Amino acid sequence: MGIFLLPFFIFIFVYFFPYFWAMAISSAMSLNIKLKFQILLSVFLFVFVGFCAVYCYAIDTDHTLYLLFLAGYVIGTPLWVLRFYLNERTSKVRFYIGLVATLFIIWEMEVPQRILFHSLTKDKTMYDIEIVDELFDGNTTSVTYGYSENRKKCIKDIFSCPFMPLPRQLQHHFFTTRNGEKIVVANVYAPYYGKSLFLNYFENLNTTHSPYRAFSLKSLTNKEVFEHLRNLKSSQKGENNGNN
């Protein structure tokens, strides 16, 4: 992040975002519900935003925007809440405006996306691979690795990407050529999703980034993944022989 843009980022995260969070938190006291429920709702919203800020920073400490997200919550939210209470600037309309804005900000900061993505990938040591070519014997070496059609569309256009990561999303194929025809040997499944427009814009201010986030085992080479594919085929052969 450029040093000249830092004041703008500070304004967004420490002043602008907390304004709407505080609007929802403080205006919950103006709803036509019992006092204890007003207090519980205010506390819940305060804790909810705090959880989102802490969680995202905890799983991505290198992301400057998430540091500012956390700093904005810690510094800006209490000050704005106090100001709303002292000036009695609360109403049901302000509550709903603040609530909608808060949920929108949480989405654009990719909180639900990251929670789901992290839960799907935290224990993964290999892709989910499904062999779909019955003639593949595991011995051929003329196998290539390529993106699926949906992943290609996502690379070109952020609006073609999934909004949320899912357990079985087709990312890649293993191809081979047989009798002059291109054959899909196996499908490779791993979660991916399109970035929010907010984070995609800010991440591309300095350097160009891809418009999606995807699970990738960066320490693995295509050769190692192909070796896993061969082992998978060998284990399937062993199971079939055992059943026979």
Side-chain angles (χ1 to χ4, degrees):
M1 179 169 32
I3 189 65
F4 298 107
L5 293 173
L6 188 58
F8 177 65
F9 281 89
I10 292 175
F11 172 79
I12 291 291
F13 284 93
V14 181
Y15 184 91
F16 187 71
F17 283 178
Y19 173 83
F20 289 103
W21 302 333
M23 182 187 293
I25 293 167
S26 58
S27 294
M29 302 300 293
S30 65
L31 298 178
N32 295 325
I33 55 178
K34 292 182 178 180
L35 178 61
K36 62 180 180 180
F37 294 120
Q38 293 176 344
I39 296 173
L40 284 175
L41 182 56
S42 293
V43 172
F44 170 77
L45 290 173
F46 186 81
V47 173
F48 170 69
V49 176
F51 166 79
C52 293
V54 172
Y55 182 90
C56 285
Y57 180 68
I59 64 174
D60 195 355
T61 55
D62 294 330
H63 204 306
T64 306
L65 293 183
Y66 284 122
L67 175 60
L68 290 174
F69 184 28
L70 179 59
Y73 168 76
V74 173
I75 299 171
T77 307
L79 294 177
W80 272 117
V81 168
L82 181 62
R83 184 171 179 180
F84 274 113
Y85 278 131
L86 292 178
N87 295 336
E88 297 183 352
R89 296 173 57 191
T90 61
S91 68
K92 288 186 288 186
V93 173
R94 283 180 175 274
F95 170 77
Y96 291 115
I97 292 174
L99 181 63
V100 171
T102 296
L103 295 177
F104 179 74
I105 291 168
I106 295 302
W107 176 267
E108 286 299 302
M109 291 302 298
E110 297 182 13
V111 176
Q113 299 95 312
R114 283 180 176 265
I115 290 175
L116 184 55
F117 186 81
H118 182 64
S119 66
L120 291 172
T121 60
K122 62 179 180 179
D123 297 322
K124 275 192 172 295
T125 57
M126 179 51 69
Y127 298 107
D128 296 325
I129 301 177
E130 177 187 20
I131 298 174
V132 294
D133 178 24
E134 296 180 355
L135 299 180
F136 176 66
D137 57 8
N139 295 320
T140 180
T141 57
S142 58
V143 174
T144 57
Y145 192 57
Y147 289 120
S148 66
E149 288 301 317
N150 287 340
R151 182 70 183 276
K152 288 179 182 177
K153 293 177 181 178
C154 177
I155 293 172
K156 295 179 181 178
D157 180 16
I158 190 173
F159 294 105
S160 297
C161 299
F163 290 111
M164 293 284 285
L166 298 172
R168 280 179 66 85
Q169 289 174 292
L170 182 60
Q171 276 210 49
H172 306 285
H173 298 292
F174 274 104
F175 298 99
T176 191
T177 302
R178 187 181 301 128
N179 299 325
E181 184 180 357
K182 193 174 185 180
I183 305 294
V184 176
V185 172
N187 294 328
V188 180
Y189 299 94
Y192 70 101
Y193 68 95
K195 295 178 182 178
S196 69
L197 296 180
F198 178 80
L199 288 186
N200 186 58
Y201 171 77
F202 280 103
E203 287 178 4
N204 282 280
L205 284 177
N206 287 340
T207 57
T208 302
H209 293 268
S210 59
Y212 61 86
R213 304 191 198 281
F215 173 70
S216 62
L217 297 167
K218 297 179 181 179
S219 60
L220 289 178
T221 63
N222 289 351
K223 181 180 178 181
E224 289 171 313
V225 178
F226 176 57
E227 184 66 27
H228 175 78
L229 181 67
R230 293 173 61 183
N231 294 336
L232 181 63
K233 184 63 179 181
S234 298
S235 65
Q236 289 178 348
K237 286 182 179 179
E239 291 176 1
N240 293 334
N241 293 335
N243 292 332
N244 294 331

